[in-house]
Structure formats: C-alpha cells, structure tokens
C-alpha cells in the first residue's frame, strides 16, 4: 500500500496572457475550480497508476466542514483513494489561487486552512503498518511530517519526500533532520538549488551538482525533476540514472510534479528499479500537462501503458 500524508486543496484557476507582477492587475475571462493540493494530487496520480494492479492507495489529510471539503473527499473516493484517515476540522478547506499563462506556466498562492491542522495522529498505526511507501510534501506542518516520517522509518516503510514548496527554514541542521528520515527526496531544479543554498553547498546554479551534494551529504537518493530534460536520480555514492521526458506542448503544467511523485511511488511500491519507475513517472507527468487542471490529465494505468508502448 502507498500512504500519502498531505494537503488537500480546491484550486481556483484563471488563465491569463501574462502572470501579474507585484502591484499589477491583469484580466482573465473566467475562473475555474479544480481538485488540487499536492497531497491529494499525488494520491490521485498514484491511485490511477495503481488501478488494476496489486497496490492500494490511502490518504491522511484534513478538510473543512464546507462544500469544498466534501467535494474533495468525494473526489478522492471517486479515484479509489482510501479516505478513512481524512479528518474534518474547524478550519476551512485549503484553497489555491492559481494563474496560468499562455505557455502553461503558473503562479500559485495557497491558503492552507485545514491543511495546517493535520496531525501525525490522524494517520493510524494500523494503516501505516500496511504501507510499503509513505509519500510526503511540504504543504502541511513540518513537525507533523517529521513525526510521520520517523514512525514510517521505524515500521520499515520507504519514505518518499517531495520538498515542495521549498521549506521556509534556513538552518542546515533543520534540513538534516528532515533528510535523516527520508529515503527518496524529490525536488525540481529550483528546489534542489534552494536546498543546496540552505545547507551551504556552493553549486553555482548547477542543479545536478546540487542534487549530488544533497545525496552524498545526507545519504539519500535525490531525484531532480527537470521539466523537458526529464529526471535524474542521484545515489549517495554519486551514481546517476536519467529518465528522458517526451516532447509535448503543455496546456497547463500545474500538478505535473505531483503526477511524477505519485506515479514514482506506484513504481517503487510495485518493486520497479528506480530508472523504470522514473520513466513511467516522466511519461505520466508529460501527459498530465495536456489538460487544464492539476488532476484532469493524470493518466490511469491503461493510458500510461498505452502511451509507453507507443514510443
Ligand atoms: O502542485 C500543484 C498544487 O499546488 C496545486 O494543485 C495547488 O493546490 C498547490 O497545492
């Protein structure tokens, strides 16, 4: 089983020609709402990739007692994500305000709401004991994430931690504490550079050097996703595996990273080697960019297999 501990949001999305600069107003024709939140996105991506296979997916998350929360809960259920560990809180359901420009790039502001009320205790031991992979991100309390990661490691569960968005911490020791309970760290180029900067490694804008330094300094496998250049997994001994991305013309890149993480978790839970798991994850992430909204374009297992067989 894959267990995702993380955020659930409703995404309010406006398409714009150009993303507004500070102090500027830009017009958009309309706003649309989509299911989102890095945790929920990763759970849905993992569940779709797992459909018809041996792995189940469950999620621990927090929502508000409001229509967004109820819709998000139903959406997870509709995607075969076990939601027994979802908790309804007094805080409103998390909301993300997203603008997407003509090239599919986005800018996101997250109002965390209920997500910050999620507690490690919301994930029962009995659920964790069934897991082979735990997936974490950075949109819920870091202390609670840390506690869950430590529990998972103790139970022999592989911890896949997506450091997105980059944590607002500045001390090397705090990063070291997080990476001590991590098996596989997933970051994009910017996140890799930001972490290298926090831990004081001079990497000169080189995201592969950043990933290599992080992997060797903290004894983790560091996966750096690099958009159209695919993804690189760097082991603590510096050895590197690359998975290529197929060329696409993106409509909306929101949730591409989450698709990568969810499908990677599925591959690892099914016992694939890291290179094969990343190849599937890259393909799924590319497909997810072809439809508006974080989750709408995430492929199910059949669509993913079909796509992989075509190229
Ligand atoms: O990674 C994309 C997600 O980030 C969006 O769905 C939004 O909710 C934010 O959490």
């Amino acid at each position: 089983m894959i267990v995702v501990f993380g955020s659930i949001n409703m995404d309010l999305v406006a398409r714009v020609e150009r993303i507004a600069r500070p102090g500027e107003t830009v017009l958009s024709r309309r706003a649309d709402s989509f299911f989102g939140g890095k945790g929920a996105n990763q759970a849905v991506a993992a569940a779709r990739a797992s459909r018809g296979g041996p792995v189940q997916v469950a999620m621990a998350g927090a929502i508000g007692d409001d229509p967004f929360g109820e819709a998000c809960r139903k959406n997870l259920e509709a995607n075969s994500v076990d939601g027994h560990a979802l908790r309804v809180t007094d805080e409103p359901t998390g909301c993300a305000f997203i603008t997407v420009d003509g090239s599919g790039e986005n800018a996101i502001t997250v109002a965390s709401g209920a997500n910050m009320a999620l507690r490690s205790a919301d994930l029962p031991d009995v659920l964790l004991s069934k897991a082979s992979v735990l997936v974490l991100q950075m949109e819920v309390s870091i202390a609670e994430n840390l506690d869950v990661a430590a529990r998972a490691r103790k139970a022999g569960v592989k911890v896949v931690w997506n450091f997105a968005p980059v944590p607002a911490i500045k001390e090397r020791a705090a990063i070291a504490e997080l990476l001590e309970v991590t098996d596989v760290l997933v970051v994009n180029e910017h996140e890799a550079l930001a972490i290298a900067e926090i831990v004081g490694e001079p990497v000169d804008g080189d995201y592969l050097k950043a990933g290599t330094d992080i992997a060797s300094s903290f004894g983790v496998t560091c996966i750096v996703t690099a958009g159209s250049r695919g993804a690189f997994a760097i082991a603590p001994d510096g050895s590197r595996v690359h998975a290529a991305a197929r060329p696409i013309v993106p409509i909306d890149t929101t949730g591409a990273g989450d698709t990568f993480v969810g499908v990677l978790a599925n591959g690892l839970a099914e016992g694939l080697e890291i290179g094969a798991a990343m190849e599937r994850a890259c393909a799924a992430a590319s497909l997810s960019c072809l439809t508006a909204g974080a989750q709408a374009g995430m492929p199910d297992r059949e669509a993913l297999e079909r796509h992989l067989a075509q190229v």
Side-chain angles (χ1 to χ4, degrees):
M1 173 177 269
I2 297 167
V3 171
V4 179
F5 180 84
S7 58
I8 300 171
N9 294 332
M10 189 59 89
D11 291 353
L12 302 178
V13 183
R15 292 200 78 97
V16 291
E17 237 163 65
R18 196 172 46 73
I19 290 168
R21 286 188 290 265
E24 191 186 21
T25 300
V26 296
L27 296 183
S28 166
R29 277 186 52 218
R30 52 183 271 172
D32 291 297
S33 58
F34 295 102
F35 295 109
K38 292 187 193 302
N41 293 345
Q42 294 175 12
V44 168
R48 290 195 190 155
S50 299
R51 190 171 294 161
V55 173
Q56 307 294 310
V57 179
M59 175 165 189
I63 51 179
D65 184 10
D66 49 37
F68 279 173
E70 183 54 13
C72 289
R73 194 185 59 71
K74 285 195 174 135
N75 172 59
L76 289 171
E77 199 179 294
N79 280 283
S80 311
V81 175
D82 177 337
H84 284 98
L86 296 185
R87 186 161 59 86
V88 176
T89 70
D90 292 341
E91 293 291 325
T93 299
C95 222
F97 304 92
I98 305 181
T99 42
V100 181
D101 73 11
S103 68
E105 281 304 326
N106 61 46
I108 305 181
T109 302
V110 176
S112 298
N115 292 310
M116 285 300 163
L118 181 64
R119 296 289 170 262
S120 171
D122 292 324
L123 175 56
D125 280 334
V126 59
L127 194 56
L128 199 53
S129 71
K130 292 185 197 155
S132 57
V133 175
L134 170 75
V135 181
L136 302 169
Q137 324 74 35
M138 282 296 191
E139 286 187 332
V140 299
S141 147
I142 295 181
E144 301 301 320
N145 261 343
L146 256 178
D147 196 73
V148 170
R151 285 171 55 203
R153 289 285 290 244
K154 227 182 193 170
V157 178
K158 191 186 280 270
V159 176
V160 175
W161 202 328
N162 177 210
F163 268 36
V166 175
I169 42 185
K170 293 276 163 272
E171 311 80 33
R172 187 183 204 282
I175 293 286
E177 200 184 358
L178 305 186
L179 292 177
E180 205 167 288
V181 284
T182 302
D183 293 289
V184 180
L185 170 73
V186 185
V187 284
N188 66 23
E189 306 134 273
H190 310 293
E191 291 152 2
L193 294 173
I195 292 170
E197 196 174 305
I198 298 169
V199 299
E201 307 281 359
V203 291
D204 215 13
D206 180 342
Y207 62 86
L208 286 180
K209 179 163 175 20
T212 307
D213 288 347
I214 293 166
S216 66
S217 306
F218 299 101
V220 296
T221 296
C222 180
I223 296 185
V224 185
T225 59
S228 59
R229 275 151 293 150
F232 301 83
I234 305 155
D237 67 4
S239 58
R240 199 189 282 173
V241 177
H242 175 236
R246 289 132 221 266
I248 50 152
V249 180
I251 305 280
D252 183 356
T253 57
T254 311
D258 299 329
T259 308
F260 180 92
V261 173
V263 177
L264 176 81
N266 161 266
L268 296 178
E270 291 195 18
L272 296 185
E273 291 296 331
I274 200 129
M278 286 201 311
E279 200 183 315
R280 284 167 63 83
C282 279
S286 299
L287 289 174
S288 78
C289 296
L290 302 179
T291 310
Q295 296 177 14
M298 290 173 177
D300 63 14
R301 192 180 185 90
E302 216 184 299
L304 182 55
E305 298 300 348
R306 232 183 3 252
H307 177 74
L308 285 163
Q310 269 168 14
V311 276

